[in-house]
Amino acid sequence: MSQLKPIGLHETRGDSIFVAAISAGPILRWLAKHGVGTFADIKPLHLATYRQLCKKEIRPRGIKSRLEIVDLAWVFRDRLRMPPTQYPWGEMPFAFYCGLMGHEARSAPGQGVGKTPVIPQEVQSAVFLHCEGIFAQADSLLNQRDAGALGPSTEPMRDLRDACLYLLSITSGMRNDEVIGVEVGAGRREQIDGIEYCWVTSIEHKTGKGRVEYLVPPMTLKVVEVLERYSQPLRIALLQEIRELEVAIAGIKDVADRRDLVKRLFQARNDSQRVFLGIIYGKYNQITALSGVASRVAMLRLAATAGQDWKLSPHQCRRTYARTFVESRMGRQGLVFLKWQFKHSSISMSQLYAANPAQDPALYEDILAEYFDIKRGLLEGWSNSDQRLSGGAGRKIIEMRATAVPGRERLVTNTAMQINIRATGHGWCIAQDTGCGGAGLYESTRCVDCKNAIIDEEHVDVWQGIYAQHLEMLELDDLGPVTNARIRRDLALSTKVISDFGVPLDRGSSTIRTIEGNHS
C-alpha cells in the first residue's frame, strides 16, 4: 500500500482518497460497533482508544493509514453533510498523533493540561473528611429545621449545603456551573449487565452540549437526595414568590415599571427547581441559586473550617478528580468513591463512556490528558541523572543516560505518547505487547531483572518491607529446604534492589553475608 501524503483543499488526489477508503474498513467497523454513525459523532476518546488498541499489533505508519479517513473528513469538512465538529488530533499534527513525528505535543512544557492546581492529598483528605462529618449529621440537622429549631438559612444549614457542594464536585468531575445547576430529580440508577450505574444530570454550558449525565458513586446520589430535602422549603417559598410576581406584573401596564419585576420573575423561574439555593439578604431577601462567586467563597470557607491553609476553589475539584482517577488506576492511591464509580480494573474507560452516550466526553478527555501528563513526569524523572533506578529496564535507562540525546524534552514527550506505564505496587511495568502476563503483580521479585520493569525511589520502602518479610520467614524452622531456597533467592533479589538505591543493610547478619555471597 502506497504511503499517503497530506492532502490540502487545493491538492486533492483521487488515488490517495481511494487508498484511505480501503484502509478505513477496520476503524469504521470499530466505530459502528461503539455506536458512532457519523463523523460528527466521533470524539477524541474514540480515536485515542482505537489508537491504543492498534499499538499492540500495528506500527505507526499502519495506524496512520487506518486513521487517514478521519483526517480527510476534517480536511474536506465543508463538503460533508455531517463533518467532524472539532479537529480530531487535539493540538498536535496528525502524523505525530500516529507516532511518526517528534513535534511538540499537547502536553509539552508550557502547554500542560491546565494551570489549575491539583488539591494536595493531605488537603483533599482533610476537607473530604470534614464534609463527610457534616453530611453524616444531615438527617439530624434537617429534622431540627423541619421542627422549627433551625432556620432554613442558618449557619448549620449553610455548612450542610457547602459540604454537599464539595462532595458532589469531587465525586463527579462536574464543572462548577454544572454542579450548582443540578435540579430536583437529577439522580438516577440503572442496571447494565448486572452492574449498577449511578448518574447525575445537569446542563453543560462551557461548550454548549446541553443536558449531560455524569457517572457517580452511590454516595453522590445520597448527596443529591439531601440537597433536595435541604432546598424544599426554599423552593416552596420561591414558587409562592413566582405566583405573586405573575399577579403583580399582570396588574402593571407601564413596561418600564414592569421591567424589574419581569427580570426577577425570569430568575425565579430558572431557580425554582435548583437544589443549591440560598437567601440574599437585603431590601427584598431574595431566594436565589448559588452563584459562581458564592461557590468560591464556600470552598474557601470549607478549607478554613477543615483547618487547611489552602485556597480551595471549585474548578480544582474537576482537575483533582481527573488526576485522582489516573493515580488510582496507576496504583499510586485509591479512594473508596473511585472504587465504586469505576469498578477499578473490571471496566475500562471506553466501556464507561459507551455505557451512556449522554455523558460529557470532555471529562474523559481531561482524564486522558492527566494520564499523559503523569507518564511524561515519570519519564522526565527517570531520565534525570540524579534519580537512582532499579529493575531490568531501570538499569538500561541508567546506561542510556550516558548517551547525549538532542532534544531530550521532545524525546520524553514523544515516548510518553507511545508507551503504556502500569503500576505493580512495587515498581512500574512498561511491557507493550508481551510480558509476564501479570505474574509480576503477585511475585514481586520477578521484576528485579525483568527488561520491562522500572523501580524508582518511591518504591524503596516497599522493597525494604519485602526484604524484612523474607528475613522473618527465613527465621522459621518448619518450611523445608525447597521453600527456604526460594526465600533465600528472593531475599537476595530484594537486597539487590535496595543496594541499587544505596540504602544500607545490616551487614553484620551472618544470614545476609551468606545470601549475598551465594548471589554474587
Side-chain angles (χ1 to χ4, degrees):
M1 182 177 296
S2 62
Q3 179 183 351
L4 300 179
K5 297 182 179 179
I7 300 174
L9 291 175
H10 302 293
E11 47 186 9
T12 304
R13 290 186 52 184
D15 57 336
S16 294
I17 296 176
F18 178 72
V19 173
I22 293 175
S23 304
I27 187 174
L28 294 180
R29 286 192 293 271
W30 186 87
L31 289 168
K33 181 180 177 181
H34 288 77
V36 179
T38 69
F39 286 116
D41 297 329
I42 298 176
K43 305 296 182 186
L45 179 67
H46 295 129
L47 298 172
T49 302
Y50 184 76
R51 179 188 61 180
Q52 197 62 44
L53 293 173
C54 287
K55 284 181 181 179
K56 298 177 180 179
E57 301 176 353
I58 304 173
R59 293 173 180 255
R61 199 173 298 281
I63 296 174
K64 183 175 182 288
S65 67
R66 288 196 177 189
L67 295 178
E68 190 90 31
I69 193 71
V70 180
D71 194 55
L72 287 169
W74 172 257
V75 171
F76 296 103
R77 57 191 178 278
D78 59 333
R79 304 183 190 182
L80 297 179
R81 188 166 57 87
M82 301 183 73
T85 57
Q86 57 183 310
Y87 180 63
W89 322 118
E91 295 181 11
M92 64 185 73
F94 171 50
F96 174 64
Y97 186 89
C98 300
L100 287 173
M101 296 169 62
H103 297 316
E104 298 301 324
R106 175 187 177 193
S107 292
Q111 302 180 26
V113 276
K115 296 182 179 179
T116 301
V118 174
I119 304 170
Q121 189 172 357
E122 62 276 10
V123 175
Q124 183 183 358
S125 177
V127 175
F128 190 93
L129 291 173
H130 172 71
C131 294
E132 197 175 39
I134 297 174
F135 185 72
Q137 305 173 41
D139 284 339
S140 174
L141 292 171
L142 293 170
N143 288 338
Q144 292 178 57
R145 183 204 61 186
D146 294 343
L150 284 174
S153 60
T154 53
E155 187 172 315
M157 288 293 100
R158 182 204 67 188
D159 291 344
L160 176 60
R161 182 199 64 189
D162 292 352
C164 290
L165 175 69
Y166 178 81
L167 292 173
L168 181 53
S169 300
I170 202 67
T171 60
S172 68
M174 290 184 182
R175 300 181 186 90
N176 189 55
D177 283 347
E178 288 121 45
V179 173
I180 60 180
V182 168
E183 297 186 342
V184 176
R188 70 179 182 88
R189 290 180 169 87
E190 68 175 338
Q191 291 278 337
I192 302 178
D193 297 330
I195 299 174
E196 183 183 65
Y197 291 82
C198 301
W199 306 98
V200 171
T201 304
S202 189
I203 303 297
E204 197 274 341
H205 296 283
K206 183 174 182 179
T207 59
K209 294 183 180 70
R211 189 168 297 275
V212 294
E213 291 192 305
Y214 290 84
L215 185 68
V216 297
M219 172 193 179
T220 310
L221 293 191
K222 295 179 182 179
V223 172
V224 174
E225 292 167 2
V226 165
L227 284 166
E228 289 175 348
R229 186 179 170 190
Y230 154 82
S231 63
Q232 185 177 19
L234 296 172
R235 286 185 281 110
I236 291 173
L238 197 55
L239 290 173
Q240 177 61 33
E241 182 187 357
I242 289 172
R243 287 190 289 268
E244 293 172 356
L245 285 167
E246 290 171 342
V247 172
I249 290 170
I252 300 175
K253 302 302 181 183
D254 188 271
V255 175
D257 294 338
R258 297 167 55 186
R259 185 177 296 113
D260 288 344
L261 293 179
V262 170
K263 182 179 179 181
R264 171 57 188 161
L265 177 60
F266 177 78
Q267 181 187 24
R269 284 174 173 169
N270 282 341
D271 296 344
S272 62
Q273 294 300 306
R274 299 282 183 89
V275 295
F276 282 104
L277 294 175
I279 300 176
I280 298 178
Y281 289 99
K283 184 178 179 180
Y284 300 107
N285 292 345
Q286 290 180 344
I287 298 171
T288 184
L290 201 65
S291 67
V293 173
S295 299
R296 290 193 289 273
V297 172
M299 289 290 187
L300 288 171
R301 186 167 53 232
L302 276 173
T305 54
Q308 300 301 305
D309 184 19
W310 174 262
K311 292 183 178 180
L312 186 66
S313 69
H315 191 62
Q316 291 173 10
C317 293
R318 180 177 173 94
R319 177 150 190 230
T320 301
Y321 174 93
R323 174 59 67 113
T324 304
F325 167 71
V326 176
E327 296 272 15
S328 177
R329 298 287 281 196
M330 294 186 75
R332 282 178 157 177
Q333 60 175 296
L335 296 180
V336 172
F337 71 80
L338 283 174
K339 178 181 178 183
W340 279 99
Q341 183 164 349
F342 290 97
K343 328 297 179 190
H344 277 293
S345 59
S346 62
I347 297 179
S348 70
M349 201 161 61
S350 56
Q351 284 176 297
L352 289 169
Y353 178 75
N356 184 352
Q359 292 179 84
D360 177 13
L363 177 58
Y364 289 89
E365 291 157 21
D366 285 350
I367 290 173
L368 286 171
E370 291 291 346
Y371 177 48
F372 178 84
D373 194 54
I374 289 176
K375 286 198 296 181
R376 193 189 65 193
L378 285 170
L379 289 166
E380 286 176 347
W382 295 342
S383 64
N384 189 333
S385 59
D386 294 334
Q387 184 171 157
R388 293 175 180 261
L389 297 174
S390 188
R395 297 186 192 96
K396 189 66 176 178
I397 291 174
I398 292 175
E399 293 177 10
M400 293 171 60
R401 287 174 183 167
T403 304
V405 178
R408 186 175 294 274
E409 286 288 343
R410 180 176 296 177
L411 175 64
V412 167
T413 299
N414 190 39
T415 304
M417 284 291 299
Q418 304 303 320
I419 70 169
N420 286 323
I421 301 177
R422 293 170 293 276
T424 60
H426 50 264
W428 303 100
C429 178
I430 60 172
Q432 303 306 300
D433 300 316
T434 60
C436 66
L441 285 171
Y442 313 103
E443 189 181 348
S444 56
T445 52
R446 289 178 67 111
C447 299
V448 175
D449 294 315
C450 175
K451 66 179 182 179
N452 295 313
I454 299 174
I455 302 168
D456 57 21
E457 292 173 349
E458 72 176 78
H459 298 104
V460 174
D461 291 345
V462 175
W463 283 95
Q464 287 178 312
I466 293 170
Y467 167 82
Q469 289 170 353
H470 282 81
L471 204 58
E472 289 176 10
M473 286 190 290
L474 205 59
E475 300 295 329
L476 302 177
D477 56 6
D478 58 348
L479 298 180
V482 175
T483 302
N484 280 332
R486 170 69 179 273
I487 294 171
R488 288 174 180 274
R489 185 203 72 180
D490 289 350
L491 191 55
L493 289 169
S494 61
T495 300
K496 180 179 181 181
V497 172
I498 295 171
S499 299
D500 284 340
F501 292 98
V503 178
L505 294 171
D506 181 10
R507 304 295 176 180
S509 168
S510 60
T511 302
I512 297 300
R513 288 199 303 270
T514 301
I515 291 170
E516 292 181 341
N518 291 339
H519 182 69
S520 61

